[in-house]
Amino acid sequence: MARVVVTRPIIEEGLHPLRERYDLEVLNPVDTWDEDGLIAAAHDADALISMLSDPITARVLAACPKLRVVAQYAVGYDNIDLEAARARGIVVTHTPDVLTDATADFTWALLLTLIRKVREADRYVREGHFKRWETQLLLGHDLRDKTLGIVGLGRIGSAVARRALGFGMRVVYYNRRPANPTVERQSCARYVSFDELLAVSDVVSIHCPLNSESYHLFNQAAFAKMKPTAVLVNTARGPIVDEAALVEALEQEQIAGAALDVFEQEPKVHPGLLENDRVVLAPHLGSATVEARTAMARMCAEAVLAVLEGAEKIPYRLV
């Protein structure tokens, strides 16, 4: 019987098809896996359902000689050595599309929490300070007629842009190359250079993948080009933002605030962010809805089933 290892608990409903057919083990580590721990846990696995935090390196893949498929429980896959998997004939899949709306919605949740001071308001009421309505209490900002800058007009970026229309915002975007004209029309988004996006945006929202080009894309130089009234939202990948530079930009009032769901050295967070009241922080919740996470589990199970059953077509395949 083939052995399937899941590196941490996921919604059980999606795993039912695998439990019926294979030796399924769901691990429950107290911390993030390192290479040695992952090898010890999955050395005899035929299939591995992995998380973004799992180091699926060439060394790990080489130490799992039976492994036929890695099904990533995420859209991103920068934690997986795709070339090493390809060289060993290991299929790699992911979970595209299904978490688009959940992540786009959460982007707006973070933004609204930041600019309308929702966190401070909640604390104000809970601590017993609310005695009467005040004319200048916890004043935030409107979004209407402001400019939203999207860095990465892909599935999630375009979903965020479409939601901006309901708030009466203008939308500009930056990609390595212009998006499909249909996507531009649906989003009412205008293509600009990265420098122009930084200069004109009141809100900058990151939705690009992490790679050698996007690593520390938001650095000291980038923050210096932003409006002092602008805010940054990141629901993509932590290392796209140089956190030390972000802390400095906030302290120097080069930008007005930040809302972050991901971090450069996740789960560690720069102390300067933890101490700053103009920052909203979340523990990587972009896809955290019951619907999205259940669908992600089902997609991983579908991919594993297809590979282990020898199907001609593998769904959600990267390699």
Side-chain angles (χ1 to χ4, degrees), residues 197-209:
L197 181 143
L198 296 175
V200 304
S201 296
D202 299 290
V203 177
V204 176
S205 193
I206 304 173
H207 302 286
C208 59

Side-chain angles (χ1 to χ4, degrees), residues 232-280:
L232 178 74
V233 184
N234 187 10
T235 55
R237 291 289 176 268
I240 297 171
V241 176
D242 180 340
E243 286 187 2
L246 173 59
V247 169
E248 183 179 355
L250 289 163
E251 290 176 348
Q252 298 298 319
E253 298 187 353
Q254 289 179 307
I255 66 171
L260 309 172
D261 187 40
V262 289
F263 305 95
E264 189 173 355
Q265 297 180 12
E266 198 167 307
K268 295 179 182 177
V269 182
H270 194 293
L273 296 173
L274 294 171
E275 297 161 3
N276 196 309
D277 286 337
R278 291 184 292 132
V279 180
V280 171

Side-chain angles (χ1 to χ4, degrees), residues 5 154 161 195 211 239:
V5 171
D195 283 353
N211 51 42

Side-chain angles (χ1 to χ4, degrees), residues 9 22 36 62 64 84 91 104 112 177 179 204 212 215 237 241 243 265:
Y22 309 118
D36 290 335
C64 300
V91 173
L112 291 168
R177 61 187 66 85
V204 176
S212 59
Y215 176 78
R237 291 289 176 268
V241 176
E243 286 187 2
Q265 297 180 12

Side-chain angles (χ1 to χ4, degrees), residues 25 45 53 69 74 83 87 92 95-97 107 119 152 170-171 200 216 227 232 238 245 258 260 290 299:
E25 182 178 7
S53 56
V69 55
E83 290 307 313
V92 179
T95 59
D97 296 327
T107 298
R119 181 191 56 178
R170 295 179 294 273
V171 181
V200 304
H216 279 192
K227 294 180 180 182
L232 178 74
L260 309 172
V290 171
M299 292 168 78

Side-chain angles (χ1 to χ4, degrees), residues 2-276:
R3 183 164 185 259
V4 179
V5 171
V6 187
T7 62
R8 65 182 58 245
I10 60 178
I11 290 180
E12 182 66 26
E13 180 183 333
L15 296 176
H16 288 168
L18 300 180
R19 284 201 183 280
E20 294 170 356
R21 295 172 174 82
Y22 309 118
D23 174 17
L24 177 71
E25 182 178 7
V26 179
L27 306 174
N28 192 13
V30 295
D31 208 343
T32 302
W33 289 108
D34 59 16
E35 287 185 338
D36 290 335
L38 204 52
I39 289 169
H43 67 279
D44 60 345
D46 298 273
L48 184 66
I49 296 179
S50 60
M51 313 294 144
L52 267 174
S53 56
D54 300 332
I56 312 297
T57 63
R59 176 170 173 255
V60 169
L61 295 173
C64 300
K66 295 175 61 181
L67 195 61
R68 296 167 59 189
V69 55
V70 175
Q72 175 90 326
Y73 187 76
V75 174
Y77 46 86
D78 46 270
N79 61 307
I80 303 174
D81 190 328
L82 297 183
E83 290 307 313
R86 185 177 287 111
R88 302 188 69 85
I90 298 171
V91 173
V92 179
T93 68
H94 66 153
T95 59
D97 296 327
V98 70
L99 48 73
T100 296
D101 286 329
T103 306
D105 288 347
F106 196 66
T107 298
W108 283 96
L110 287 175
L111 173 58
L112 291 168
T113 298
L114 177 65
I115 67 164
R116 292 303 305 269
K117 303 184 184 297
V118 175
R119 181 191 56 178
E120 296 93 328
D122 179 84
R123 186 167 62 239
Y124 186 85
V125 173
R126 290 177 188 276
E127 292 177 354
H129 303 301
F130 183 38
K131 305 301 182 184
R132 61 184 176 274
W133 181 81
E134 298 282 358
T135 58
Q136 298 184 57
L137 175 65
L138 296 172
L139 297 179
H141 291 280
D142 290 336
L143 288 172
R144 178 164 295 279
D145 297 325
K146 300 294 197 306
T147 298
L148 170 65
I150 300 284
V151 179
L153 196 72
R155 296 183 184 93
I156 296 172
S158 58
V160 170
R162 290 193 299 273
R163 285 158 172 75
L165 303 179
F167 286 91
M169 299 186 76
R170 295 179 294 273
V171 181
V172 297
Y173 78 96
Y174 168 74
N175 282 351
R176 286 181 295 178
R177 61 187 66 85
N180 184 297
T182 301
V183 173
E184 286 188 333
R185 287 194 300 271
Q186 291 173 342
S187 307
C188 294
R190 179 171 64 90
Y191 179 68
V192 297
S193 69
F194 184 57
D195 283 353
E196 183 177 350
L197 181 143
L198 296 175
V200 304
S201 296
D202 299 290
V203 177
V204 176
S205 193
I206 304 173
H207 302 286
C208 59
L210 175 62
N211 51 42
S212 59
E213 293 181 25
S214 65
Y215 176 78
H216 279 192
L217 179 64
F218 283 84
N219 52 24
Q220 189 176 41
F223 292 125
K225 295 173 183 176
M226 291 174 63
K227 294 180 180 182
T229 54
V231 299
L232 178 74
V233 184
N234 187 10
T235 55
R237 291 289 176 268
I240 297 171
V241 176
D242 180 340
E243 286 187 2
L246 173 59
V247 169
E248 183 179 355
L250 289 163
E251 290 176 348
Q252 298 298 319
E253 298 187 353
Q254 289 179 307
I255 66 171
L260 309 172
D261 187 40
V262 289
F263 305 95
E264 189 173 355
Q265 297 180 12
E266 198 167 307
K268 295 179 182 177
V269 182
H270 194 293
L273 296 173
L274 294 171
E275 297 161 3
N276 196 309

